[in-house]
Amino acid sequence: MAVGQNQKTRKNDPLVTKTGKARLGPLNLTQLNNMLAKSTKPKEQAKIKREISKRPPAPIVSEPVAVAE
């Protein structure tokens, strides 16, 4: 259970586990990179790096070219 909360009044947060740790699955690459930059624990960094490596790289989207008529 998350620290400092009462079980009766606690609302389940889908982004946090029962122990209060963040779930990495629903986060996008930008959020994971920000989390990696902020974390100081090697174990957390390894988990985040592993999750980043599982994700396919973001596709490069070019802007549509306007055709003059």
Side-chain angles (χ1 to χ4, degrees):
M1 195 166 47
V3 178
Q5 292 182 342
N6 186 338
Q7 187 175 6
K8 276 186 167 182
T9 60
R10 180 176 55 88
K11 300 293 182 189
N12 290 336
D13 185 1
L15 298 178
V16 180
T17 63
K18 187 176 180 182
T19 58
K21 297 179 182 177
R23 293 187 194 270
L24 302 179
L27 301 178
N28 61 29
L29 285 176
T30 307
Q31 292 169 323
L32 288 172
N33 287 327
N34 288 342
M35 188 180 282
L36 180 62
K38 291 179 184 178
S39 70
T40 57
K41 297 180 181 178
K43 188 174 182 180
E44 286 179 5
Q45 289 176 346
K47 287 180 182 180
I48 296 168
K49 287 178 185 177
R50 188 170 50 245
E51 187 66 31
I52 290 172
S53 68
K54 288 181 186 178
R55 308 286 174 95
I60 299 172
V61 179
S62 61
E63 293 183 21
V65 179
V67 178
E69 292 182 26

